[in-house]
Each structure stands twice: as structure tokens, then as C-alpha cells.
Amino acid sequence: MTMFQEIRKAIQGLWSLLVGLKITGHAFFQKQSTVHYPRKTVPNLATYRGHIELVGREDAPGTPKCISCYKCAVGCPSNCISLSCPEDQPSAKTRAQVVPDPLGQDPAFRLTPFKVPPPEGVGAPSKRTPATFHLDYNYCSLCGLCVQNCPVDSLRFSEDVYLAGFTKQEFEYDLLTRLRGQAGNS
Ligand code: SF4
Ligand code: SF4
């Protein structure tokens, strides 16, 4: 390699270094668009779609608007909502008696304690408040069908951006207890 080539190579290397420093410097002085979590957090985003949660009644925030129609549970493609209503106990059936197991082999499907959707108009809303309402978020695909199909707008997506856990059990939610906690009367 000649002296001229050596100088040319050194100049190219120096130029490359300057270009890199310019890009780094530009990024360094720009306004940060991320935060150093968990030391800092950002406000929850209104458009964020977290796990579903129950919506309380206007006159009683700790009581869900839910009328236990089972539409959400029966329509959930991931089979991850379960609820019960005292009004339905005498005629309770498993979901498998209503919706056949598509593969005929899933024991979890057959054992899911979903109830038959009651006929239209059965039970006053106040009597059809669910006694239990659980979500297994481990299997939820956030498809939104439950929120979309609820006839009384008793479901919505939470805005819990900072959801983290170490076990599956931490993602199995008692949504009634959650609602009561949000209403401050748990
Ligand atoms: S968002 Fe979809 S998958 Fe999740 S609970 Fe609702 S219906 Fe089921
Ligand atoms: S669809 Fe709405 S009203 Fe019906 S059981 Fe689900 S949450 Fe309750």
C-alpha cells in the first residue's frame, strides 16, 4: 500500500467517525421518547387495550352493570371468562351442553362451568347481578368480542400498561373484587 493510499484510508476512517458522532450527538440531545422504567413511568394511554374489566353502575360504582346474560362468556373464543348468577343455579348447565366441544377432546372445555344463557327478559337486572366473575387473562387474545357484545356496556378494556407477574395465577382475575377495589369499598 502506497503512502497516498494510507493517508486516504485514514481520512476515510476519520470521516466515518465524525459521521457516527454527528448521529449519536443528534440523538443524545433530542427529547427522550422513552422512560427508564421502573424508575420512571408515563401516564396510562387512553388508547391502550389492557385486560377487560367490569364497569360499575352509576348509582353503585362497586356493583357491575352486568345482568348475567352470559353473552361474553359463551362468545369468548378463548374460553377465558366465567361467571355465575344465583338466579341460574337450579337450571345450571355446563357450556359443553350448549356449545359442543369442536374437537371433542378437550377436558377443560367440557368442565368449564358456564351456564346456559337465560331467555330474553328473565330476571330483573338487580337480581341478575353476578355472584362471581373471573377472567383468565393467560388465554385472552384481546379480540374485544366480549366488550363489543355486552348489551349493557358492562365490560371495557383496562388501561393497566404496567402489567407484570411471575406466575400464571397472577393473571387470573376476580373482576368483581377488582371493581369493588376501584370503587373504594372492597
Ligand atoms: S377480549 Fe376476546 S379473548 Fe379476551 S376475554 Fe374478551 S372475548 Fe375473550
Ligand atoms: S355480556 Fe355483559 S351483561 Fe352479559 S354476562 Fe357479560 S358482562 Fe354481563
Side-chain angles (χ1 to χ4, degrees), residues 54 64-73 81 83 128 130 133 146-147 149-155:
L54 285 166
K65 290 180 174 180
C66 176
I67 54 171
S68 302
C69 72
Y70 298 97
K71 264 190 178 178
C72 55
I81 299 175
L83 67 141
R128 295 203 53 78
F133 203 116
C146 54
V147 175
N149 290 332
C150 178
V152 291
D153 295 328
S154 184
L155 289 173

Side-chain angles (χ1 to χ4, degrees), residues 13 19 21 26 67 74-75 80 87 100 104 109 116 121 124 129 131 139-140 146 176 184:
V19 169
L21 281 175
H26 184 65
I67 54 171
V74 173
C80 54
E87 288 276 299
F109 189 98
V116 177
T129 298
Y139 301 105
C140 174
C146 54
L176 277 177

Side-chain angles (χ1 to χ4, degrees), residues 2 8 25 35 48 55 59 64 66-67 71-74 79 86 92 94 98 102 106 120 128 141-142 146 156 175 185:
T2 64
R8 188 176 170 198
V35 296
Y48 182 75
V55 178
D59 58 338
C66 176
I67 54 171
K71 264 190 178 178
C72 55
V74 173
N79 209 15
T94 64
V98 188
D106 182 1
E120 286 291 323
R128 295 203 53 78
S141 61
L142 293 169
C146 54
R156 69 182 169 210
L175 295 187
N185 58 353

